[in-house]
Amino acid sequence: MSAVSPNQAQDLAWLLRGLGEEVPVIRGSVLLSADGMLKASDGFDRASAEQLAALASGLFSIARSAGTKFDGSNEVRQVVTELKSSQLFISWAGYNSVLAVLARGEADPAVVGFEMARLIKSVRPFLGTATRSAAAPRNPTPSS
């Protein structure tokens, strides 16, 4: 497994930019760790990218729970959410990584899904996220 270090993560924005150029109906995209930490984005300001990463992580987690309960597996291929004038696509992108793409409402889901899968398949080893170690326990300051 080849995971992306925090320094390399910033370099992944060009992949997302390329996806948006390939599929012009894409409004923006984010690459995130499965627990919601933003790794790279294109088409969003930082605050919006972080919010989309958190939302995508939550939806992906809910889909994994549904799969565990009703499908006997926590493997999620894709979550698609149709909004009033947008479509949100969330896909597993490699070890501990998720790709979320927001497209305009008129987007063809088959095209967006295909291009997301093609991108993920071509660069999957570089999209993985190393598991973060648990934070060291903090020593509370004794009160006087």
Side-chain angles (χ1 to χ4, degrees), residues 2 5 7 9-10 22 24 27 29 33 38 66 82 85 87 92-94 106 113 118 122 132:
S2 164
S5 73
N7 293 339
Q10 299 306 325
E22 187 72 27
R27 295 175 48 198
S29 54
S33 63
L38 180 65
E82 190 173 339
S85 59
Q87 296 177 57
W92 178 80
E106 68 270 13
R118 191 170 76 142
S122 67
R132 288 194 294 271

Side-chain angles (χ1 to χ4, degrees), residues 43-131:
F44 298 107
D45 60 55
R46 180 73 183 193
S48 295
E50 288 178 349
Q51 187 172 17
L52 182 57
L55 291 166
S57 174
L59 289 170
F60 194 77
S61 178
I62 290 168
R64 289 181 72 180
S65 294
T68 299
K69 175 69 176 174
F70 300 109
D71 194 44
S73 171
N74 68 354
E75 293 180 26
V76 176
R77 292 185 184 150
Q78 189 173 58
V79 177
V80 180
T81 304
E82 190 173 339
L83 306 170
K84 181 179 178 186
S85 59
S86 301
Q87 296 177 57
L88 177 60
F89 300 84
I90 305 166
S91 293
W92 178 80
Y95 180 78
N96 203 25
S97 293
V98 176
L99 174 63
V101 171
L102 186 66
R104 293 196 304 258
E106 68 270 13
D108 181 344
V111 171
V112 176
F114 174 80
E115 292 299 335
M116 287 175 68
R118 191 170 76 142
L119 170 72
I120 292 166
K121 184 177 181 182
S122 67
V123 295
R124 180 172 288 143
F126 302 102
L127 298 179
T129 302
T131 304

Side-chain angles (χ1 to χ4, degrees), residues 22-47:
E22 187 72 27
V23 186
V25 293
I26 291 177
R27 295 175 48 198
S29 54
V30 297
L31 181 65
L32 56 133
S33 63
D35 62 359
M37 295 295 293
L38 180 65
K39 293 173 54 174
S41 69
D42 180 62
F44 298 107
D45 60 55
R46 180 73 183 193

